[in-house]
Amino acid sequence: MTPRPSHPTGENTLLKPRSTLTRELVNLDGLWRFALEDANVREPWTGALVSKLEAPVPSSYNDLFADQQIRDHVGWVWYQRTAWVPRGWSGERVFLRLDAATHEGKVYVNDVLVAHHVGGYTPFEADITEHVTPGADFRLTVGVNNELTRATIPPGTISVSQDGRRQQTYLHDFYNYAGLARSVWLYSKPERHITDVTIVTGIIGRTGVVDYSVEASQETKVRVRVLDATGREVTNAVGSVGTLSIEDVLLWRPGAAYLYDLVVELLDGEDMVDSYTEHFGVRTVEVRGTDFLINGEPFYFTGFGKHEDTAVRGKGHDNAYLVHDFQLLDWVGANSFRTSHYPYAEEVLEFADRHGIVVVDETAAVGLNLGVQGGLTGIGPQPTFSPDTFNHETQAAHAQHLREVIARDKNHPSVVMWSIANEPASNEDGAREFFEPLVKLARQLDPTRPLTYAAVMFATFQNDKIADLFDVLSINRYYGWYVFTGDLKTAEQYLERDMRGWVEAFGKPIMMSEYGADTMPGQHSIWDMPWSEEYQQSFLDMNHRVFDRIDAFIGEHVWNFADFQTSNGIHRVDGNRKGVFTRDRKPKAAAHSLRARWTGLNGAKPTEGQTKAAENTSTDVRAEPALEGAK
């Protein structure tokens, strides 16, 4: 039998709320009253929140208002609204779920604290049955704290300026957007209900093998049924743990998604007590030698590191941008992306499931590297891993976050690999002691998916202390940008030596998880001039020549899909400009070059001939939209 992922115990198992035959769902998104915590706003849950401000949910609050104090606020903010419990929910359990509160959330129903959660990118919920009445309203107050410390994931530090202002410092190069950036839900469950569902798939010949396990609030009879995309039942079983077979199975494939439904029912005799439906795809993932295999076939990743980042909304989830971004991924020929540098909204993964886009799912462990801070600020070096820096508290927060990410995302067929950290100080003493227990935990939670992490520029095949623990080597490199700026010939030589060194040292599949150059749209040059659109094209072409000469290479994720907002800094001009698309999703010239390279690959590794052809046609490709319009 295929190994099953384990998961955190307890009621809050992160099973996504759905409307079913036995459950109802009310969305609480909209405009909420909003206020910063200050001397006048200390305990807003005890009564009506006195504020003229309103904030939309979902969204980050930072860019909504014209007040600089709100944008720069460090600490708690408060959201409040009135909600109604449907009168038909009498006799049901009533739950409140927040899809995210960045980075810490407290939830009050009337005057009662019902939930407290630390971690800004995973959901949490509370059973509020005893605090509400069906057919009546209640006051819902949510506090959100944006503070990052050495004991949070991602980490940061708080300082106080000479004039008494609290200031947040963090180690990641994207803006610390905060607030209720994802949806809030009110939903019902029967008294006896399903609490978790785990699905692991395999393939034997033309038969799909589906291992499942179901947990419930009370021990009771469980029946499961598998429905195909037309709603036809193809197999069924009785029992909370078992294996199902799907004859002539239709596989979930990159670019050609096919989804089944697992309908889970709790029974009292033959009477249905609770029903829950989980969507799944049948597919396998494996690392064999230096190949990454999906359904037993070698797969080559093409795509991007992305961000949940748009103007005004910040990290607020937006379905319009979701659809448009996936359209751009399809247009450019991308087959995958990494959720840099935190788990994205569940709607994103569900969309990837339905459309056959492959996802590397990354935790929020970004910034575990004090060497980067020293390089950018001139501050003397500090050891990254020590009792006074990142220690057992940081590790415990990282472990809990890892549990929550895997529990939430384990059933998504689009998720083919876990990335447990971005650019940690894997070259420093203490790195192995920090990460080895986390790798062991991740494999216990999900033994079915490969593991990776994104290696920072300072970590080389000669000094990295953790690469042997992982299945795939994901490398972030910026030769030609941060190193050998503008000198692409030298950059190409160093890049190839670097990549071949990793392959020879570890014998594992290798992919480029970040490579890119800041580019101002409309900046042009006939020379290799950094910041110009032509330099971004030349930079990517240079990298691609190297990738295509290395047999163990399995993929390329350009940094970044689109320009995004960062914290203040003289090396950033209104954010990070490494996007192939602008922040409002207009293509730069490099987008057309990538389209020429990636379109038609269908997961196959490009050849050197294809690379040269793409380089030669990249200028012509830029004219395609105009030519198509003329036709």
Side-chain angles (χ1 to χ4, degrees):
M1 183 176 291
T2 308
R4 295 185 180 88
S6 57
H7 44 75
T9 58
E11 177 69 15
N12 188 24
T13 53
L14 309 186
L15 196 65
K16 183 177 174 64
R18 302 190 197 280
S19 294
T20 72
L21 292 173
T22 58
R23 301 174 176 220
E24 293 186 7
L25 189 62
V26 174
N27 182 265
L28 298 181
D29 293 351
L31 291 172
W32 294 44
R33 291 186 294 278
F34 177 85
L36 304 184
E37 181 169 89
D38 57 25
N40 300 315
V41 180
R42 288 295 186 188
E43 296 182 340
W45 59 89
T46 61
L49 183 62
V50 179
S51 175
K52 294 182 179 180
L53 297 178
E54 296 181 75
V57 175
S59 75
S60 304
Y61 64 78
N62 308 81
D63 293 350
L64 297 176
F65 307 102
D67 188 344
Q68 184 81 30
Q69 181 184 357
I70 298 176
R71 192 171 202 270
D72 295 342
H73 178 73
V74 177
W76 290 91
V77 300
W78 294 96
Y79 293 80
Q80 191 178 82
R81 63 160 292 165
T82 299
W84 284 82
V85 180
R87 62 183 181 179
W89 290 9
S90 181
E92 300 289 292
R93 305 305 299 182
V94 180
F95 284 80
L96 186 68
R97 172 182 163 117
L98 286 78
D99 285 347
T102 311
H103 295 277
E104 178 181 7
K106 291 182 179 179
V107 183
Y108 294 83
V109 170
N110 296 323
D111 298 344
V112 180
L113 176 66
V114 296
H116 179 208
H117 180 261
V118 178
Y121 301 102
T122 48
F124 60 105
E125 65 180 27
D127 185 337
I128 62 172
T129 311
E130 309 307 322
H131 307 293
V132 296
T133 302
D137 64 1
F138 64 94
R139 186 176 63 255
L140 175 57
T141 309
V142 179
V144 182
N145 181 18
N146 66 350
E147 294 180 4
L148 297 172
T149 71
R150 294 285 168 86
T152 63
I153 295 295
T157 55
I158 305 291
S159 61
V160 180
S161 65
Q162 291 184 352
D163 59 3
R165 289 176 294 117
R166 301 178 77 246
Q167 297 178 313
Q168 174 79 70
T169 302
Y170 46 93
L171 301 167
H172 52 269
D173 187 30
F174 56 94
Y175 191 78
N176 188 39
Y177 283 113
L180 295 177
R182 298 174 188 167
S183 290
V184 180
W185 305 92
L186 191 67
Y187 72 102
S188 67
K189 297 180 187 177
E191 189 68 35
R192 286 180 288 174
H193 53 263
I194 298 155
T195 59
D196 199 25
V197 177
T198 302
I199 302 170
V200 176
T201 63
I203 307 167
I204 301 176
R206 297 179 61 183
T207 300
V209 179
V210 182
D211 292 340
Y212 72 90
S213 63
V214 178
E215 294 192 3
S217 59
Q218 300 176 35
E219 187 173 344
T220 188
K221 182 180 178 181
V222 175
R223 178 173 64 198
V224 298
R225 298 181 293 125
V226 173
L227 309 181
D228 67 14
T230 69
R232 180 178 64 92
E233 183 176 313
V234 295
T235 186
N236 63 74
V238 174
S240 59
V241 177
T243 300
L244 297 160
S245 295
I246 304 175
E247 302 299 329
D248 296 320
V249 67
L250 294 171
L251 299 181
W252 188 96
R253 300 179 185 277
Y258 189 92
L259 295 179
Y260 292 90
D261 285 343
L262 184 73
V263 180
V264 182
E265 298 165 336
L266 297 189
L267 303 176
D268 185 353
E270 290 303 313
D271 295 331
M272 186 188 300
V273 175
D274 189 22
S275 176
Y276 186 86
T277 299
E278 183 78 326
H279 314 298
F280 72 97
V282 178
R283 61 103 182 95
T284 61
V285 177
E286 179 188 1
V287 170
R288 187 186 304 161
T290 56
D291 286 331
F292 191 97
L293 307 177
I294 298 179
N295 301 330
E297 300 174 354
F299 179 74
Y300 190 84
F301 294 82
T302 58
F304 303 92
K306 288 181 90 273
H307 266 299
E308 291 183 313
D309 176 279
T310 55
V312 182
R313 302 166 187 80
K315 292 197 177 304
H317 177 72
D318 184 288
N319 283 328
Y321 269 98
L322 169 66
V323 170
H324 189 58
D325 282 359
F326 273 74
Q327 284 287 302
L328 293 178
L329 290 173
D330 180 66
W331 175 86
V332 80
N335 60 25
S336 57
F337 63 88
R338 175 170 60 126
T339 69
S340 45
H341 301 295
Y342 39 84
Y344 292 175
E346 289 168 278
E347 291 84 352
V348 177
L349 298 183
E350 291 171 336
F351 202 90
D353 290 343
R354 295 194 298 272
H355 294 271
I357 297 295
V358 172
V359 178
V360 178
D361 201 353
E362 187 162 270
T363 73
V366 54
L368 295 173
N369 197 323
L370 295 178
V372 173
Q373 171 186 259
L376 294 176
T377 66
I379 298 172
Q382 286 182 286
T384 297
F385 306 103
S386 76
D388 297 325
T389 52
F390 300 138
N391 52 31
H392 67 281
E393 287 184 289
T394 319
Q395 187 186 56
H398 194 162
Q400 179 58 24
H401 177 66
L402 193 58
R403 292 186 189 98
E404 294 180 8
V405 172
I406 293 177
R408 193 196 75 164
D409 296 345
K410 62 188 175 183
N411 293 334
H412 289 286
S414 60
V415 175
V416 302
M417 185 159 55
W418 306 112
S419 174
I420 73 169
N422 178 72
E423 296 193 344
S426 57
N427 56 306
E428 291 190 27
D429 291 339
R432 194 172 186 94
E433 291 77 6
F434 187 94
F435 279 101
E436 192 163 17
L438 296 173
V439 171
K440 182 179 179 181
L441 173 63
R443 295 200 188 280
Q444 290 172 345
L445 295 169
D446 182 4
T448 71
R449 288 179 176 89
L451 298 181
T452 192
Y453 70 103
V456 71
M457 197 86 176
F458 306 142
T460 71
F461 62 90
Q462 297 165 313
N463 65 18
D464 191 279
K465 301 179 185 299
I466 65 173
D468 62 296
L469 301 174
F470 294 83
D471 303 297
V472 173
L473 302 178
S474 299
I475 312 297
N476 294 358
R477 288 296 184 266
Y478 292 94
Y479 293 109
W481 187 249
Y482 295 121
V483 182
F484 307 120
T485 311
D487 183 358
L488 293 178
K489 290 185 178 180
T490 302
E492 185 168 350
Q493 296 169 7
Y494 273 79
L495 175 62
E496 184 160 0
R497 282 202 294 267
D498 190 354
M499 295 301 101
R500 292 193 182 280
W502 285 94
V503 173
E504 292 168 7
F506 297 101
K508 297 175 183 285
I510 184 172
M511 67 180 292
M512 191 69 90
S513 42
E514 287 185 23
Y515 62 113
D518 283 276
T519 304
M520 293 297 291
Q523 183 71 26
H524 295 288
S525 176
I526 60 173
W527 303 289
D528 279 338
M529 185 69 68
W531 291 91
S532 69
E533 293 194 48
E534 289 77 14
Y535 187 77
Q536 188 179 36
Q537 290 178 297
S538 297
F539 175 95
L540 296 176
D541 289 344
M542 177 275 291
N543 277 267
H544 297 155
R545 289 194 295 272
V546 173
F547 302 166
D548 296 345
R549 293 196 290 262
I550 299 175
D551 291 339
F553 229 83
I554 64 162
E556 51 200 60
H557 278 173
V558 175
W559 189 256
N560 189 285
F561 172 73
D563 295 344
F564 58 92
Q565 192 57 257
T566 62
S567 57
N568 296 330
I570 58 173
H571 63 299
R572 296 287 178 234
V573 183
D574 191 27
N576 190 304
R577 297 293 188 141
K578 292 188 180 69
V580 168
F581 297 93
T582 63
R583 199 180 188 204
D584 61 350
R585 282 31 180 194
K586 300 296 190 298
K588 300 176 187 177
H592 296 279
S593 297
L594 289 172
R595 188 182 187 215
R597 174 176 171 81
W598 290 346
T599 300
L601 288 179
N602 295 321
K605 180 179 173 63
T607 64
E608 286 191 72
Q610 286 172 314
T611 302
K612 291 176 181 177
E615 290 178 16
N616 292 335
T617 60
S618 62
T619 302
D620 296 333
V621 170
R622 274 180 277 173
E624 276 190 337
L627 290 173
E628 291 172 358
K631 293 177 184 177

